[in-house]
Amino acid sequence: MQNDLGDFLRSRRSRIQPADAGLREYGRRRVAGLRREEVAQLAGVSVDYYIRLEQGRGKHVSDAVLDAVARALRLDEPERLHLYALARPGGTVDSHPTTASGVYRDTVAPGVRLVLDALAAPAFVLGRRMDVLAWNALGDLVSGFSRVPDSERNQARYLFLEPAAPVFYPDWERVAAETVAFLRRDAGLHPDDPRLTALVEELSERSPDFARLWAAHPIKEKTRGAKLIQHPEAGRLELGYETFALPGDPDQLLVVYTAEPGSPAAAALARLAERHPVTA
């Protein structure tokens, strides 16, 4: 992750063809997409300045320049925020401090645990690096968090290193892309987190799929969506999920799985809870 800014900018300019940007083709192209001088032209900055930015040597870059580069590369909002995070380590992006420290609170507040237990839906809390910090009983029945050692309780590690993961997630490729996108965002906000660096190195070495997806620099916020699970006991579960940032802990996310009332998934979750009643 030594020059993530440059890698990110190169990945984004490679996906835009000159004709799509209103530019005339000229000369032989050695790389896919836009040349650096074309991005500079579209952004209204000097070629030398853009090259220094892509090389990670652009200090004190202004909002106007970053926004101009974002427009030239047609970045969406999560990608634009990621650009800010990479260009300004040590600042604040979208309420998240882009700290160089790997230290943060990896335990949930007592009130959050009460909220988890009060929910009648599978729920859990994700921390940095996709570590699973807490869960409720139904969340455990669905995902089996308590059966995993503390040091291994990480969604990315499970997804890419556990042989059963593609069976549990039938749409594994989509879930994998979303997971890498989340980790990429985390890496932009916390570029010097040693535990995140170690996780990325481990997954890159042990999983060719992770290395492939990581090199593509996907960026996506984990907000809401659909999750398809092939549960060993409950069968096929077509669930939605909603994600909430916890006040006071911007690096912790409450994830709640949802099922449409009267749906097969709702009935399957109800049967699962009946078979495994929570005891005090």
Side-chain angles (χ1 to χ4, degrees):
M1 297 191 290
Q2 291 185 355
N3 186 16
D4 271 353
L5 175 59
D7 291 342
F8 176 66
L9 290 172
R10 284 188 290 273
S11 74
R12 290 314 185 259
R13 65 181 169 89
S14 70
R15 69 184 184 181
I16 303 175
Q17 297 304 312
D20 297 333
L23 300 174
R24 187 175 62 180
E25 291 269 10
Y26 66 91
R28 182 178 179 181
R29 292 186 175 269
R30 292 178 295 178
V31 297
L34 297 177
R35 297 184 174 101
R36 291 181 294 187
E37 55 266 31
E38 291 170 332
V39 177
Q41 175 187 341
L42 291 169
V45 300
S46 71
V47 175
D48 180 66
Y49 188 92
Y50 178 77
I51 289 175
R52 285 189 284 114
L53 180 65
E54 195 168 283
Q55 291 176 342
R57 298 186 292 117
K59 295 183 179 180
H60 310 298
V61 59
S62 69
D63 288 359
V65 168
L66 290 177
D67 287 341
V69 171
R71 287 193 297 271
L73 295 177
R74 302 184 179 185
L75 304 185
D76 60 22
E77 185 61 10
E79 291 173 328
R80 186 186 72 83
L81 293 175
H82 187 64
L83 173 63
Y84 266 74
L86 295 178
R88 293 177 176 171
T92 299
V93 176
D94 192 26
S95 79
H96 292 260
T98 61
T99 61
S101 170
V103 178
Y104 85 112
R105 190 165 79 172
D106 58 0
T107 57
V108 301
V112 173
R113 291 191 178 275
L114 293 176
V115 170
L116 281 171
D117 292 339
L119 291 171
F124 55 95
V125 175
L126 276 182
R128 291 243 301 268
R129 319 171 197 100
M130 301 200 77
D131 290 339
V132 181
L133 304 182
W135 54 87
N136 63 8
L138 194 51
D140 194 24
L141 288 176
V142 170
S143 299
F145 298 125
S146 64
R147 297 194 298 271
V148 180
D150 290 351
S151 61
E152 299 295 318
R153 201 174 289 129
N154 176 279
Q155 291 289 77
R157 183 175 281 109
Y158 170 82
L159 193 69
F160 288 98
L161 302 184
E162 172 55 53
V167 177
F168 189 74
Y169 293 113
D171 53 350
W172 183 91
E173 186 70 29
R174 180 178 64 81
V175 177
E178 291 178 352
T179 298
V180 174
F182 182 87
L183 282 181
R184 267 292 182 189
R185 181 175 179 272
D186 199 16
L189 292 170
H190 309 286
D192 294 327
D193 180 344
R195 289 176 57 189
L196 177 57
T197 300
L199 176 65
V200 170
E201 289 177 350
E202 177 192 5
L203 296 180
S204 296
E205 291 173 0
R206 298 179 60 186
S207 170
D209 287 316
F210 179 86
R212 168 179 56 84
L213 290 168
W214 186 259
H217 282 257
I219 301 296
K220 184 179 180 181
E221 292 182 331
K222 190 177 181 66
T223 53
R224 58 175 53 90
K227 190 77 72 175
L228 176 60
I229 291 174
Q230 184 62 40
H231 192 273
E233 182 177 350
R236 182 183 178 92
L237 299 175
E238 296 183 10
L239 304 170
Y241 69 84
E242 299 289 332
T243 305
F244 308 91
L246 297 178
D249 287 295
D251 289 322
Q252 294 186 5
L253 300 174
L254 172 63
V255 182
V256 182
Y257 286 155
T258 60
E260 289 287 340
S263 67
L269 289 177
R271 289 193 298 270
L272 191 63
E274 289 174 359
R275 295 191 200 107
H276 302 275
V278 176
T279 56

